[in-house]
Amino acid sequence: LYGLIANKTAAAMSTSQEANTSGVNDHAPPDASAYTDDEQRERTTSNSGKLVLGVCARDKKAKSKPMREILNRIMSFNVFELVMFGDDIILNNSKGINQWPHCDALIAFFSSGFPLDKAIAYCRLRKPFLINDLRTQHLLFDRRAVYRILEANNIPTPKRAFMSRDVPNPPSFVEEEDAVTVGGVKIKKPFVEKPVSGEDHNVYVYYPRSAGGGTKHLFRKIGDRSSEFYPNENSVRRFGSFVYEEFLPTEGTDVKVYTVGPNYAHAEARKSPVVDGKVQRDDAGKEVRYPVMLSAREKEIARAVSLMFKQVVCGFDLLRADGQSYVCDVNGWSFIKASKKYWDDCAHVLAQTIISGVNKRLLSPLLLSRLRGSSAERLTHLNQSGAEMDEELLCVVGVFRHGDRTPKQKLKFNITSAEFANRRPTSLLMSLFDSFSTDNRCELKIKSAAGLT
């Protein structure tokens, strides 16, 4: 099989020079019916001698601008052939997974309407190298499971209690004016009430009577709004299962962390929706976000989140309060929407991850030589974090001091006439001079209040 792949690859390359695939290739994949199931499972390179990278996601996500930017950069290495599955394939119930295209590596992630179980069955059949593990994505649907995994791995999380009404024996629940007690755990207001479903973003914040009471409803951004305050609403929801957690003071900012593998993380801060509910947008209509530096501990948390959930590309929410950092949500596949630097880094790390993850013994010698040539040579210069070794200016720190100064109330003059020196108030000044010095050729400087009294 190894020699057959090499011969097929060499033959294909001799009849056709490297096709230009620097852009996203959206054409239909080779007909899967041309191969038997065994051949489909074992075939590891396309006819052009390149690794086949599949993208299995809803069209709205797979063809978004950030995704296209990242994929175009991956394709610029000229070692991959891209196959877009598309809605026509993944949502077509008449077409079984055995008719889905073959790929060596697969980018697949859940979004609304995505058939996750069907994609898992496909991966079980074809066994591609997965960028993000699909079975683990099931865990992200339940915030309770996410918190338990975080806690089991010693990741800091806010104090919380689970009110699970979807189990045979739900815990006890007592609501007081300024607190709730769930299964013996008391959470005082202000607290956050989250649905246990990770896909439900209707999160409420309840405030104590001492702060005026009321409830703030948080939701997915609608126009320039991300929350609304209801001053007369003070009782919690009684239908459904919820996570109740303490409200942490974050000084009005949320931190979004985006990992690309365990050794790369990019973080941005935005105005928290609990401030006033108004979304800050730039001239292009995008939400205003500011890059932030992660501490050493926060970098360890980012690495742990990527590894424990088996998500190379992963976003999660970080709360900074009282000198500590807490993880309050894990979102799975998520990336920066408007950062060329991030797109470059992401493409480098993903390309490196795919090449190292695909089974090397099935790669043809020609393909391995291609990885050492042309633009793909840059991949060999990546360090473990996915960034090139060249130095890069990340920021400029300026320290400025105001120029305001208190005006000096002073009098400076020279006295040369003895007659003038005997007149008041000059005589008082001369007596002061004489009390400090006997040499009338010297200068006398008195700055302290004690010397002038």
Side-chain angles (χ1 to χ4, degrees), residues 16 53 61 160 165 172 183 203 266 310 313 361 372:
S16 174
L53 173 61
K61 298 290 185 179
R160 67 199 171 275
R165 297 187 174 94
S172 60
V203 176
H266 177 92
K310 300 180 181 179
V313 179
R361 65 183 178 84
R372 294 189 290 267

Side-chain angles (χ1 to χ4, degrees), residues 5 46 236 247 249 254 333 422 439:
I5 292 175
S46 67
V236 302
F247 179 84
D254 290 343
W333 183 279
N422 293 326
D439 188 354

Side-chain angles (χ1 to χ4, degrees), residues 189-317:
K189 292 182 179 180
F191 58 69
V192 183
E193 180 188 61
K194 298 179 179 179
V196 297
S197 172
E199 294 300 300
D200 190 340
H201 300 279
N202 295 301
V203 176
Y204 293 2
V205 180
Y206 296 87
Y207 298 96
R209 291 287 184 182
S210 60
T215 303
K216 183 160 287 186
H217 294 193
L218 313 184
F219 44 79
R220 282 284 180 90
K221 293 184 288 289
I222 301 176
D224 65 344
R225 302 297 301 175
S226 59
S227 70
E228 293 291 346
F229 181 68
Y230 297 86
N232 299 320
E233 185 177 306
N234 294 288
S235 298
V236 302
R237 290 173 281 186
R238 291 304 187 103
F239 299 96
S241 299
F242 298 95
V243 178
Y244 292 94
E245 65 181 44
E246 63 178 346
F247 179 84
L248 297 178
T250 61
E251 299 183 355
T253 59
D254 290 343
V255 178
K256 303 285 186 179
V257 183
Y258 303 87
T259 71
V260 188
N263 299 313
Y264 182 97
H266 177 92
E268 293 182 342
R270 67 167 187 177
K271 185 178 77 172
S272 173
V274 303
V275 176
D276 57 10
K278 183 174 178 60
V279 180
Q280 289 181 321
R281 297 189 181 276
D282 57 20
D283 295 337
K286 302 294 185 182
E287 184 180 27
V288 175
R289 296 191 177 188
Y290 306 93
V292 299
M293 298 294 291
L294 295 176
S295 66
R297 175 54 178 155
E298 289 169 341
K299 292 176 183 179
E300 293 176 358
I301 291 174
R303 174 182 175 83
V305 169
S306 177
L307 291 174
M308 73 179 68
F309 290 99
K310 300 180 181 179
Q311 306 292 297
V312 172
V313 179
C314 184
F316 65 92
D317 296 343

Side-chain angles (χ1 to χ4, degrees), residues 285-358:
K286 302 294 185 182
E287 184 180 27
V288 175
R289 296 191 177 188
Y290 306 93
V292 299
M293 298 294 291
L294 295 176
S295 66
R297 175 54 178 155
E298 289 169 341
K299 292 176 183 179
E300 293 176 358
I301 291 174
R303 174 182 175 83
V305 169
S306 177
L307 291 174
M308 73 179 68
F309 290 99
K310 300 180 181 179
Q311 306 292 297
V312 172
V313 179
C314 184
F316 65 92
D317 296 343
L318 201 65
L319 300 177
R320 290 173 168 175
D322 301 325
Q324 300 292 328
S325 299
Y326 305 86
V327 177
C328 64
D329 200 8
V330 179
N331 305 312
W333 183 279
S334 185
F335 42 60
I336 306 296
K337 296 178 175 60
S339 172
K340 293 182 179 180
K341 175 64 170 62
Y342 169 83
W343 294 338
D344 291 340
D345 292 343
C346 185
H348 277 78
V349 177
L350 288 181
Q352 183 74 23
T353 301
I354 294 170
I355 291 172
S356 62
V358 174

